[in-house]
Amino acid sequence: MAVTSRDVARLAGVSQPTVSRALRDDPRVSEDTKRRVRESAALIGYVPSEAGRALSSGHTRRIGLLVTDLDNQFYAHIIAPVHQELERLGYQLMLHTESVDNETVAERLISNGLDGVILATTTVDSVAPLRLRDRGLPFIYFNRTASFVPADATTAAPTAGFVAAATAVRDLGHTRIGAVLGPSNTSTAQAREIALRAALADCGLRLEQDYVRRGPFNTVSGDEATTSLLNLQRPPTVIFCGNDVVAYGALNAARRGGVIVPDDLSVIGFDNLPAADWPIIELSTIAYDLVGMARAAAGLIVGRIENPGSEVSHVEFETAFIQRGTLAAPMSR
Amino acid sequence: MAVTSRDVARLAGVSQPTVSRALRDDPRVSEDTKRRVRESAALIGYVPSEAGRALSSGHTRRIGLLVTDLDNQFYAHIIAPVHQELERLGYQLMLHTESVDNETVAERLISNGLDGVILATTTVDSVAPLRLRDRGLPFIYFNRTASFVPADATTAAPTAGFVAAATAVRDLGHTRIGAVLGPSNTSTAQAREIALRAALADCGLRLEQDYVRRGPFNTVSGDEATTSLLNLQRPPTVIFCGNDVVAYGALNAARRGGVIVPDDLSVIGFDNLPAADWPIIELSTIAYDLVGMARAAAGLIVGRIENPGSEVSHVEFETAFIQRGTLAAPMSR
DNA sequence: CTTCGTAGTGTATGCGTATGCACAAGCGAA
DNA sequence: TTCGCTTGTGCATACGCATACACTACGAAG
């Protein structure tokens, strides 16, 4: 059924290895032979077998991208640029999720003949880094930093964004500050919390314990946490959210509860996803070059694969605050 | 570097084929041997090589999902259920996009050692079906029907949803009906246009030529098309959108133009994506079991692979109209 | 006591490609 | 004329696993 390089060889009147070399543009093959081989290959519709190639060469030019959850808009948005950049570099993307247990995920990553893995999951306690390291399979962290196992990483440095946001919040006269933070076992949530608290402190503001909620980085969680904050006797007038997706949930909670944004409640996100700029959302948020970060991740893993000895690098993206409709001076006292 | 089945065999004191059989739970291997093999494999951390397995067995248990565009929320939402269902069936997902040219896409699908492909792109003029058929690689259509090449397909039958929507629209007193339809070279957009026109006709309503716009199934396109409709001297009081993502764009256009939804303009989508139900969106839309459709697609392609002779089937999902905040009686005359 | 079936395992081989090495032809320099 | 080098190609083989087939041991049936 399948057309093999041997079939092409027979047709072109050369040996099978010559076909292999000709199609990969090996300089040792004459131009004339290359042309003949290419023509023969095209004629019978030859397409090299990935399996054969992988088994023989030991690599697949295939990169795994492990994400927590595909329903999440954040992950949905990074897939495209990672995919695109990998394509440009001559690699293919293989998507993996954490839908099964920890060990099984690691095993799948290993057994799939991947050349490298981008870990875009946030949880610190995953076994994947350990297993991948033991197996000698290159990997990098996306939007998180190393836990126990060091590796290249891309992150957004939250400080600058939060400093600007906290300043804006103070200048508008907010004093009751709320926060819906990400899960505390993620390096991302930890870094953002530290930066947020420091920025607020610099502005003479404080994040009271009662005004803090924590939960996964998704919309439903943001909705519930915000509902809980709005039910307080003296609810916060502004809520910093772990990321934009959480902030969408905060906006939903406010709308459902008849709380007017931004008059009664201001909301601030993190990530500046495309929808944050939609006229029907107008989310104030901490922005950074997410697409660039995704591209950088693709570059990092490919670099790690093709240049294994290179020093471990941490690519940080600067953040900035973007003020939109969801932030204004508090109207109620 | 890599641990092979031969290493396990040596450790367990059996032959390599016995390892292969034991780990795949072949009934011809004694329980005692299986246990010994499993223990040895675990001890040295053996994970079977996909490449070896693929080359030897001729299949990879890997399914390709070809989507138009990953930025699009519609595609982002189907990936998760397809992935999950394939996982349940013992297959893995390999994502592909149309980011490169037509022929290259087809070639990639073929060369990747996929066992089957789900074509979730809408365009009728893709060469992928032809190439896949020629190669004998099983494939199915998702959310579209066959063009030239027949194959299993899953679609949503738009009629019931549009009949209910048109009825609601008429009962509310709308007479100036607008539409932002999908690209006319997609079977999906064609089917929806026919169903919409028929439903409107049944209600004594008409879709005037001036009130129709067409464009790709994305938010920016919906925004632009709606802006254009709103600039008409007598703009429509309700706009049917090709799908929800387009409808988000319509809502954005209205908000930017100071047009109040639903008082000045009603908006109706198609797909009932999760965000349609958000309090800050409240999109009226034609709903169907999108997750079920994605699951069905996974089931169809696996069925086609494991049972190649079976008759071609077309799984249609029924639609219903869900009225939410974006639809009301027109206030202006 | 022979024959046969069955359970369990090993042997041999193939899948399609890449690559180390051998080899032939051609050419320039000594 | 010979030697050594370059260029282009073929030969042999390896990659890791699955599978057809062969084989052994053993118990049941005749």
Side-chain angles (χ1 to χ4, degrees):
Chain A
M1 172 104 268
V3 181
T4 75
S5 58
R6 231 174 291 271
D7 299 328
V8 178
R10 203 170 310 133
L11 185 62
V14 296
S15 71
Q16 176 269 321
T18 298
V19 171
S20 167
R21 287 189 274 251
L23 293 179
R24 279 172 309 121
D25 211 27
D26 190 303
R28 293 174 305 173
V29 177
S30 71
E31 281 307 319
D32 191 52
T33 305
K34 279 183 189 169
R35 195 181 37 69
R36 221 169 55 246
V37 167
R38 275 196 278 260
E39 281 169 6
S40 304
L43 192 63
I44 57 178
Y46 168 71
V47 178
S49 146
E50 274 296 325
R53 189 168 271 186
L55 191 56
S56 182
S57 72
H59 51 81
T60 57
R61 300 193 77 80
R62 209 182 291 140
I63 307 284
L65 173 62
L66 181 64
V67 301
T68 307
D69 170 15
L70 280 168
D71 284 323
N72 196 306
Q73 283 187 43
F74 176 77
Y75 291 118
H77 276 110
I78 66 170
I79 294 173
V82 169
H83 185 267
Q84 199 178 358
E85 183 69 2
L86 284 179
E87 201 148 66
R88 206 181 62 76
L89 296 168
Y91 284 77
Q92 306 233 351
L93 213 210
M94 182 130 201
L95 205 56
H96 289 258
T97 65
E98 287 189 311
S99 55
V100 287
D101 76 284
N102 229 332
E103 288 287 356
T104 309
V105 166
E107 188 169 309
R108 292 226 175 119
L109 291 173
I110 290 169
S111 74
N112 259 290
L114 300 171
D115 282 356
V117 177
I118 300 173
L119 295 176
T121 57
T122 48
T123 47
V124 171
D125 45 2
S126 163
V127 301
L130 290 166
R131 299 284 175 274
L132 294 179
R133 185 198 54 187
D134 291 352
R135 181 74 179 194
L137 186 55
F139 67 95
I140 66 156
Y141 297 109
F142 178 88
N143 196 32
R144 62 176 273 202
T145 51
S147 47
F148 309 102
V149 191
D152 305 286
T154 61
T155 57
T159 298
F162 277 128
V163 165
T167 305
V169 162
R170 179 201 55 196
D171 292 350
L172 287 167
H174 288 275
T175 52
R176 298 201 304 276
I177 318 288
V180 179
L181 305 171
S184 40
N185 67 341
T186 68
S187 70
T188 313
Q190 287 166 8
R192 290 181 193 172
E193 178 170 359
I194 291 169
L196 172 60
R197 288 187 187 275
L200 288 173
D202 284 352
C203 292
L205 296 171
R206 268 200 70 196
L207 196 53
E208 303 290 344
Q209 198 51 43
D210 289 355
Y211 287 173
V212 174
R213 297 289 183 278
R214 290 171 210 278
F217 281 122
N218 63 52
T219 300
V220 169
S221 158
D223 191 330
E224 290 169 358
T226 302
T227 300
S228 151
L229 287 176
L230 291 176
N231 282 337
L232 291 173
Q233 208 157 19
R234 306 192 70 214
T237 58
V238 58
I239 296 180
F240 283 90
C241 295
N243 69 8
D244 280 6
V245 170
V246 170
Y248 300 157
L251 296 177
N252 284 335
R255 178 69 58 92
R256 190 183 312 101
V259 173
I260 307 297
V261 174
D263 297 353
D264 302 331
L265 177 71
S266 287
V267 174
I268 296 173
F270 198 112
D271 283 342
N272 194 32
L273 297 184
D277 196 33
W278 287 4
I280 57 170
I281 296 195
E282 283 290 346
L283 178 66
S284 298
T285 189
I286 315 285
Y288 57 96
D289 183 6
L290 179 57
V291 168
M293 192 161 118
R295 291 227 178 89
L300 275 183
I301 186 61
V302 170
R304 176 59 50 198
I305 291 165
E306 298 182 350
N307 205 347
S310 59
E311 209 167 320
V312 169
S313 63
H314 179 180
V315 180
E316 272 202 306
F317 283 76
E318 209 38 82
T319 53
F321 178 58
I322 298 186
Q323 184 169 346
R324 297 201 184 94
T326 62
L327 173 62
M331 291 192 74
S332 60
R333 273 296 101 184
Chain B
M1 171 104 266
V3 181
T4 75
S5 60
R6 230 175 292 269
D7 300 327
V8 178
R10 203 171 309 132
L11 184 61
V14 296
S15 71
Q16 176 268 320
T18 298
V19 172
S20 167
R21 288 189 275 251
L23 293 179
R24 280 174 307 120
D25 210 27
D26 189 305
R28 293 175 305 173
V29 177
S30 72
E31 282 308 321
D32 191 51
T33 305
K34 278 183 189 170
R35 194 180 37 70
R36 221 167 57 246
V37 168
R38 275 196 278 259
E39 281 169 6
S40 306
L43 192 64
I44 58 178
Y46 168 71
V47 178
S49 145
E50 273 297 325
R53 190 168 269 186
L55 193 56
S56 181
S57 72
H59 51 79
T60 57
R61 301 193 77 78
R62 208 183 292 140
I63 306 283
L65 173 62
L66 180 65
V67 302
T68 307
D69 172 14
L70 280 168
D71 284 322
N72 196 305
Q73 284 187 42
F74 176 77
Y75 291 117
H77 277 109
I78 66 170
I79 293 173
V82 169
H83 185 267
Q84 199 178 356
E85 182 70 2
L86 284 178
E87 201 148 65
R88 206 180 64 75
L89 295 168
Y91 284 76
Q92 307 233 350
L93 213 212
M94 183 128 202
L95 203 57
H96 289 257
T97 64
E98 288 189 309
S99 55
V100 286
D101 75 284
N102 229 332
E103 288 287 356
T104 310
V105 166
E107 189 169 310
R108 292 228 175 116
L109 290 174
I110 290 170
S111 74
N112 260 292
L114 300 171
D115 282 356
V117 177
I118 299 173
L119 295 175
T121 56
T122 47
T123 46
V124 171
D125 45 3
S126 163
V127 300
L130 290 164
R131 298 285 174 277
L132 295 179
R133 185 198 53 187
D134 291 350
R135 182 73 180 195
L137 185 55
F139 68 94
I140 66 156
Y141 297 109
F142 178 87
N143 196 32
R144 62 176 272 201
T145 50
S147 46
F148 310 103
V149 191
D152 305 285
T154 62
T155 57
T159 298
F162 276 129
V163 165
T167 305
V169 162
R170 180 201 53 196
D171 291 351
L172 287 167
H174 287 275
T175 52
R176 298 202 304 277
I177 318 290
V180 178
L181 305 172
S184 39
N185 67 341
T186 67
S187 70
T188 312
Q190 288 165 8
R192 290 181 193 173
E193 177 170 359
I194 292 169
L196 172 60
R197 287 187 187 276
L200 289 174
D202 285 352
C203 293
L205 297 171
R206 267 199 71 195
L207 196 53
E208 302 290 344
Q209 197 51 42
D210 289 354
Y211 286 174
V212 175
R213 296 290 182 278
R214 292 171 209 276
F217 281 122
N218 64 51
T219 300
V220 169
S221 159
D223 190 331
E224 290 168 358
T226 302
T227 300
S228 151
L229 287 176
L230 291 175
N231 281 336
L232 291 173
Q233 207 157 21
R234 306 192 71 214
T237 58
V238 57
I239 296 180
F240 284 88
C241 294
N243 69 8
D244 280 6
V245 170
V246 170
Y248 301 155
L251 296 177
N252 284 334
R255 179 69 58 90
R256 190 182 313 99
V259 174
I260 307 296
V261 173
D263 297 354
D264 302 331
L265 177 71
S266 288
V267 174
I268 297 173
F270 198 111
D271 283 342
N272 194 32
L273 297 184
D277 196 33
W278 287 4
I280 58 170
I281 296 196
E282 285 290 347
L283 178 66
S284 298
T285 190
I286 314 285
Y288 58 96
D289 184 6
L290 179 57
V291 169
M293 191 161 117
R295 291 227 178 88
L300 274 183
I301 186 60
V302 170
R304 176 58 50 198
I305 291 164
E306 298 181 350
N307 204 347
S310 59
E311 210 167 319
V312 169
S313 64
H314 179 182
V315 180
E316 272 203 306
F317 283 76
E318 210 38 82
T319 52
F321 178 58
I322 298 186
Q323 185 167 347
R324 297 199 185 96
T326 62
L327 173 61
M331 290 193 74
S332 60
R333 276 296 96 191

